Amino acid sequence: MKMISAIIKPFKLDDVREAVAEVGVDGLTVTEVRGFGRQKGHTELYRGAEYNVDFLPKVKLDIATSEENVDRLIEAITGAAYTGKIGDGKIFVYELTQVVRIRTGELDNEAL
Protein backbone atom coordinates (compact mmCIF):
# COMPACT_ATOMS: atom_id res chain seq x y z
CA MET A 1 0.00 0.00 0.00
CA LYS A 2 1.09 3.56 -0.68
CA MET A 3 0.20 7.04 0.53
CA ILE A 4 0.23 9.71 -2.15
CA SER A 5 0.50 13.32 -1.03
CA ALA A 6 0.09 15.98 -3.69
CA ILE A 7 0.54 19.73 -3.25
CA ILE A 8 -1.38 21.60 -5.95
CA LYS A 9 -2.78 25.03 -6.79
CA PRO A 10 -6.18 25.57 -5.13
CA PHE A 11 -8.05 26.34 -8.36
CA LYS A 12 -7.02 22.93 -9.75
CA LEU A 13 -8.69 20.96 -6.92
CA ASP A 14 -11.93 20.15 -8.79
CA ASP A 15 -10.05 19.03 -11.90
CA VAL A 16 -7.79 16.77 -9.86
CA ARG A 17 -10.71 15.35 -7.85
CA GLU A 18 -12.51 14.40 -11.07
CA ALA A 19 -9.37 12.85 -12.58
CA VAL A 20 -8.72 10.82 -9.42
CA ALA A 21 -12.34 9.61 -9.37
CA GLU A 22 -11.97 8.40 -12.97
CA VAL A 23 -9.05 6.22 -11.87
CA GLY A 24 -11.38 4.59 -9.34
CA VAL A 25 -10.30 6.18 -6.07
CA ASP A 26 -13.20 6.35 -3.62
CA GLY A 27 -11.81 8.85 -1.14
CA LEU A 28 -9.17 11.43 -0.42
CA THR A 29 -8.35 13.99 2.22
CA VAL A 30 -7.94 17.68 1.35
CA THR A 31 -6.06 20.16 3.53
CA GLU A 32 -5.57 23.86 2.87
CA VAL A 33 -1.88 24.62 3.36
CA ARG A 34 0.56 27.46 2.69
CA GLY A 35 4.13 27.26 1.52
CA PHE A 36 6.66 28.15 -1.11
CA GLY A 37 9.22 26.50 -3.33
CA ARG A 38 10.92 28.11 -6.28
CA GLN A 39 8.19 30.75 -6.41
CA LYS A 40 9.56 32.38 -3.25
CA GLY A 41 6.29 34.26 -2.70
CA HIS A 42 5.31 37.53 -4.34
CA THR A 43 4.55 41.19 -3.60
CA GLU A 44 1.00 42.55 -3.32
CA LEU A 45 -0.40 46.05 -3.03
CA TYR A 46 -2.99 46.73 -0.32
CA ARG A 47 -4.30 50.26 0.24
CA GLY A 48 -1.25 51.73 -1.42
CA ALA A 49 1.29 49.77 0.63
CA GLU A 50 3.45 46.91 -0.65
CA TYR A 51 3.40 43.63 1.24
CA ASN A 52 5.53 40.56 0.73
CA VAL A 53 3.52 37.36 0.67
CA ASP A 54 6.08 34.71 1.54
CA PHE A 55 3.74 31.73 1.85
CA LEU A 56 1.37 31.00 -1.01
CA PRO A 57 -1.96 29.18 -0.59
CA LYS A 58 -1.88 25.58 -1.77
CA VAL A 59 -4.01 22.47 -1.35
CA LYS A 60 -2.63 19.16 -0.08
CA LEU A 61 -4.29 15.91 -1.13
CA ASP A 62 -3.67 12.66 0.74
CA ILE A 63 -4.71 9.45 -0.99
CA ALA A 64 -4.16 5.95 0.37
CA THR A 65 -4.09 3.38 -2.41
CA SER A 66 -2.89 -0.06 -3.45
CA GLU A 67 0.46 -0.39 -5.21
CA GLU A 68 -1.29 -1.19 -8.51
CA ASN A 69 -2.97 2.24 -8.64
CA VAL A 70 0.08 4.41 -7.93
CA ASP A 71 1.25 5.04 -11.49
CA ARG A 72 -2.29 5.72 -12.78
CA LEU A 73 -2.95 8.12 -9.89
CA ILE A 74 0.30 10.01 -10.46
CA GLU A 75 -0.56 10.31 -14.14
CA ALA A 76 -4.10 11.53 -13.37
CA ILE A 77 -2.96 14.10 -10.78
CA THR A 78 -0.12 15.36 -12.97
CA GLY A 79 -2.38 15.75 -15.99
CA ALA A 80 -5.17 17.53 -14.11
CA ALA A 81 -2.93 19.84 -12.03
CA TYR A 82 -0.62 20.89 -14.87
CA THR A 83 -0.64 24.55 -15.94
CA GLY A 84 2.92 24.76 -17.24
CA LYS A 85 3.74 27.60 -14.86
CA ILE A 86 5.96 27.66 -11.81
CA GLY A 87 4.17 26.49 -8.67
CA ASP A 88 2.16 23.63 -10.21
CA GLY A 89 3.10 21.50 -7.21
CA LYS A 90 4.69 18.21 -6.24
CA ILE A 91 3.64 14.62 -5.63
CA PHE A 92 5.16 12.51 -2.85
CA VAL A 93 4.73 8.75 -2.54
CA TYR A 94 5.21 7.04 0.83
CA GLU A 95 5.13 3.45 1.97
CA LEU A 96 1.96 2.76 3.99
CA THR A 97 2.47 -0.03 6.51
CA GLN A 98 -1.04 -0.47 7.90
CA VAL A 99 -4.59 0.79 7.42
CA VAL A 100 -7.50 0.08 9.78
CA ARG A 101 -11.12 1.02 9.09
CA ILE A 102 -12.41 2.02 12.52
CA ARG A 103 -16.08 1.15 11.93
CA THR A 104 -15.56 -2.44 10.72
CA GLY A 105 -12.05 -3.31 11.85
CA GLU A 106 -11.05 -4.16 8.26
CA LEU A 107 -7.33 -4.09 7.61
CA ASP A 108 -5.04 -2.91 4.82
CA ASN A 109 -6.40 -3.15 1.23
CA GLU A 110 -9.89 -4.11 2.46
CA ALA A 111 -9.92 -0.92 4.56
CA LEU A 112 -9.12 1.28 1.57
Side-chain angles (χ1 to χ4, degrees):
M1 296 175 303
K2 300 285 186 178
M3 175 65 79
I4 296 177
S5 290
I7 310 293
I8 63 170
K9 292 181 176 184
F11 70 89
K12 285 299 206 170
L13 177 59
D14 287 335
D15 295 339
V16 172
R17 185 186 52 79
E18 289 172 11
V20 165
E22 288 177 14
V23 173
V25 171
D26 293 331
L28 58 90
T29 302
V30 178
T31 309
E32 292 181 9
V33 296
R34 296 185 318 147
F36 70 91
R38 292 186 181 155
Q39 284 175 292
K40 304 279 192 263
H42 64 276
T43 303
E44 288 185 0
L45 280 176
Y46 178 72
R47 295 189 178 183
E50 266 192 21
Y51 292 93
N52 285 332
V53 179
D54 294 326
F55 295 101
L56 302 172
K58 301 287 182 177
V59 174
K60 179 181 179 187
L61 307 176
D62 289 315
I63 305 168
T65 189
S66 62
E67 299 225 14
E68 299 84 44
N69 287 338
V70 171
D71 291 334
R72 292 185 314 175
L73 270 170
I74 291 172
E75 205 172 289
I77 294 167
T78 303
Y82 179 81
T83 66
K85 297 187 170 107
I86 193 166
D88 273 353
K90 290 217 172 38
I91 299 173
F92 305 96
V93 180
Y94 305 95
E95 191 67 36
L96 193 57
T97 58
Q98 186 175 22
V99 177
V100 179
R101 180 170 296 176
I102 295 172
R103 180 178 56 86
T104 62
E106 294 171 301
L107 298 173
D108 301 332
N109 281 326
E110 290 79 31
L112 296 177

